[in-house]
Amino acid sequence: MKRVFPAALITIATANPAFAGSGNTSTATGTATATIVAPIVLNHPASASLNFGRFTRGTGGTVTVTATGTGSVGSDVTFVPGSTTAADSFTVAGDANRSYSIATTGGTVSSAGTNLAFTTTPSAVTGTLSGTGTGSFTVGGTLTVTGTAPTGAYTGTYSATVAYN
């Protein structure tokens, strides 16, 4: 029996415990978040338009409509009595309380193969959607009228773009 006891003692003394060394690795759990916002949507009412009014061309000049709809003429262009001008209007919908930028392009109005160029000016270059996610802006512009432009009704288009800031 004397020999069994020392053999058991040797086995116990030489067994290596399975302890991990401290400081070699460490693990923690992270968090992730995501927020989906409403897309920004620009609408143009069918009844709205940038209206430069009715005028005589004379030797040419300009017709300007402010973003509030007030019209004025320059050089040899004259409004005819009863002429009305109007700024164009747009509505914006999207994520509540978000700010957005506004950009507009120029364009041309055409009649019978004649094109007249115009520039546009939005009422603001940025806006902020309301707490319900709505907003609006208007667009004015300046039309260049040549002295050789034939009489007639002219129509055309331009682009307006909004984007979240």
Side-chain angles (χ1 to χ4, degrees), residues 108-137:
T108 58
V109 290
S110 302
S111 177
T114 299
N115 298 319
L116 302 177
F118 65 91
T119 60
T120 60
T121 306
S123 56
V125 294
T126 61
T128 301
L129 294 170
S130 69
T132 59
T134 62
S136 64
F137 63 94

Side-chain angles (χ1 to χ4, degrees), residues 18-71:
F19 297 124
S22 66
N24 288 339
T25 63
S26 179
T27 302
T29 301
T31 59
T33 63
T35 303
I36 297 174
V37 300
I40 192 164
V41 177
L42 181 61
N43 291 303
H44 183 256
S47 61
S49 71
L50 175 54
N51 183 352
F52 290 105
R54 298 172 59 95
F55 49 87
T56 59
R57 70 178 176 272
T59 59
T62 58
V63 177
T64 300
V65 177
T66 66
T68 61
T70 303

